[in-house]
Amino acid sequence: MERTELVELLSPEGLRLLDSLPPYDTIDVVRVVSELRKAGHAPGLVAAALSQSRLRAKAGAKFGEFASRMLFTEAGLEQATRLRVAALHAGRFAALRPGLGRAPRIVDLGCGIGGDAMAMAAIDLDVTAVDADEVTATVASYNLAPFPQASVQHSPAEEVSLDDFDAAWLDPARRTGGHTNTSRITRPEDYSPSLDWAFGLATRMPVGVKLGPGHDRDLIPVEAEAQWVSVEGQLVEMGLWFGALARDGIRRSALLLTATGAVEMTATADSDDAPVGELGNYVYEPDGAVIRARLIGDLARTLGAEMLSEGIAYLTAPTLVHTPFASAFRVLEALPVDEKKLRLALQERRIGTLEIKKRGVDVDPATLRTRLKLKGPESATLILTRAAGHRVALLVERVR
């Protein structure tokens, strides 16, 4: 969204038009455009309103019912924190209240469309949201307007005076500038603000930093608590917490948010892997947060399981132990690894729908699925990996 489009959309006519549109996934866009143009609305305003309607529909997965009253940019929505996760961030800052004797004053540096600041303001925390991009800061102002505890500044993070704040939250920009068609920035020194600047700030005040879940673990400061978060099986972020925002005795954690609640594994450091064992009746695939937090060994010990192969994140055990931290599969049989023999084995079993999971082998599941020429009414799951260093093809079924 460009500045001129945003100005049009924020006009009384623009907001009335946006709020009058039916849900985006229920409309015939071509017909609606034609009708709105005939009603006298300018082409640019029609395009901006429909674009926002589309983004609101898409944002429902992250913001639920709040999405219907928010504004978005394409890039801002993509990078925004899910409201459920943002609420957990806000809870960390709320925990500072007893030590201060009042609500902490928080600065959200790189606020984007304002998702995290909304969660903070919703629990009566004083938050100042800051963004270097004018359009993004304006969108954040609109989204935060219902919260009197929140204010917005348009400024680079590095230029904000921090004297009046008790703590800071940073979500450094990890994509190139703009509001659409952005690309990922790979070098932490090119983030905005840079990680060096963010970590330097953490020596002055309590700080939380949101980063991608695949961030280089070697760059995690030793004094930080690193928490990986997955939402219903999707790994979404790594949070680094410093000072009073970090929990005593915890340096690694895997937090899983499921449809029924939240569960967490914590440790003082990376856990030692379990020994490699024989293939048992069950194979476990740890949640991505457990894998990235390097707590696979701790998980294995709670399950009475062993590693299927060294350096590969599959566990195996003779008996089943239900756990929210891993998906469990019952091993039905070992199939031939050779592709031609594997294809014949699957045809004999009349398997026409095949989920392929792989670790530790150089295989593209989509390409292999095509080459296997699957036919038949049955469905199955195939795990391609290594057991004790040797390639295996395991026909398995998920344990519910």
Side-chain angles (χ1 to χ4, degrees), residues 261-299:
V263 292
E264 187 179 27
M265 289 185 66
T266 64
T268 58
D270 297 353
S271 69
D272 294 328
D273 282 346
V276 174
E278 295 290 331
L279 174 65
N281 296 323
Y282 295 91
V283 170
Y284 295 92
E285 181 181 33
D287 184 271
V290 175
I291 295 172
R292 288 300 304 173
R294 291 190 185 167
L295 299 179
I296 301 172
D298 285 352
L299 176 61

Side-chain angles (χ1 to χ4, degrees), residues 132-200:
D133 180 79
E134 182 182 12
V135 168
T136 304
T138 303
V139 169
S141 294
Y142 180 89
N143 293 336
L144 289 166
F147 302 96
Q149 300 91 343
S151 61
V152 178
Q153 290 185 26
H154 168 220
S155 172
E158 299 89 341
E159 297 179 10
V160 176
S161 173
L162 302 175
D163 295 340
D164 294 331
F165 297 106
D166 302 303
W169 169 249
L170 293 94
D171 184 357
R174 301 182 298 280
R175 301 189 70 87
T176 55
H179 310 118
T180 59
N181 300 319
T182 60
S183 58
R184 190 174 301 280
I185 296 171
T186 57
R187 302 195 322 156
E189 58 267 33
D190 294 332
Y191 293 174
S192 179
S194 71
L195 274 195
D196 283 345
W197 189 88
F199 294 163

Side-chain angles (χ1 to χ4, degrees), residues 21 57 77 99 133 152 160-161 181 188 195 197 218 254 257 264 302 314 340 352 379 391 393:
L21 294 175
L77 175 57
D133 180 79
V152 178
V160 176
S161 173
N181 300 319
L195 274 195
W197 189 88
D218 291 337
L257 304 182
E264 187 179 27
T302 67
Y314 280 130
K340 182 178 179 180
S379 60
R391 289 189 60 169

Side-chain angles (χ1 to χ4, degrees), residues 57-275:
K58 186 177 178 181
K62 284 190 174 183
F63 291 95
E65 62 184 23
F66 291 94
S68 64
R69 66 161 185 79
M70 296 173 66
L71 294 183
F72 303 94
T73 65
E74 193 86 45
L77 175 57
E78 181 180 349
Q79 298 171 62
T81 304
R82 290 162 174 78
L83 198 55
R84 189 178 179 190
V85 180
L88 296 175
H89 298 162
R92 292 259 189 172
F93 289 95
L96 299 175
R97 190 190 303 261
L100 294 169
R102 55 170 172 76
R105 294 185 293 266
I106 304 157
V107 60
D108 180 354
L109 299 170
C111 67
I113 61 172
D116 277 294
M118 283 174 54
M120 295 175 193
I123 57 173
D124 296 326
L125 300 180
D126 293 324
V127 57
T128 297
V130 179
D131 203 277
D133 180 79
E134 182 182 12
V135 168
T136 304
T138 303
V139 169
S141 294
Y142 180 89
N143 293 336
L144 289 166
F147 302 96
Q149 300 91 343
S151 61
V152 178
Q153 290 185 26
H154 168 220
S155 172
E158 299 89 341
E159 297 179 10
V160 176
S161 173
L162 302 175
D163 295 340
D164 294 331
F165 297 106
D166 302 303
W169 169 249
L170 293 94
D171 184 357
R174 301 182 298 280
R175 301 189 70 87
T176 55
H179 310 118
T180 59
N181 300 319
T182 60
S183 58
R184 190 174 301 280
I185 296 171
T186 57
R187 302 195 322 156
E189 58 267 33
D190 294 332
Y191 293 174
S192 179
S194 71
L195 274 195
D196 283 345
W197 189 88
F199 294 163
L201 182 60
T203 65
R204 299 170 49 192
M205 62 172 61
V207 165
V209 183
K210 174 186 170 182
L211 295 170
H215 184 77
D216 187 346
R217 298 174 94 264
D218 291 337
L219 300 179
I220 299 174
V222 294
E223 69 273 17
E225 175 193 338
Q227 181 183 62
W228 284 263
V229 181
S230 74
V231 179
E232 297 186 16
Q234 181 184 358
L235 187 58
V236 298
E237 71 170 51
M238 177 184 70
L240 296 181
W241 301 96
F242 298 84
L245 293 170
R247 294 172 291 180
D248 290 339
I250 297 176
R251 287 295 176 265
R252 298 289 181 266
S253 68
L255 177 64
L256 281 57
L257 304 182
T258 68
T260 57
V263 292
E264 187 179 27
M265 289 185 66
T266 64
T268 58
D270 297 353
S271 69
D272 294 328
D273 282 346

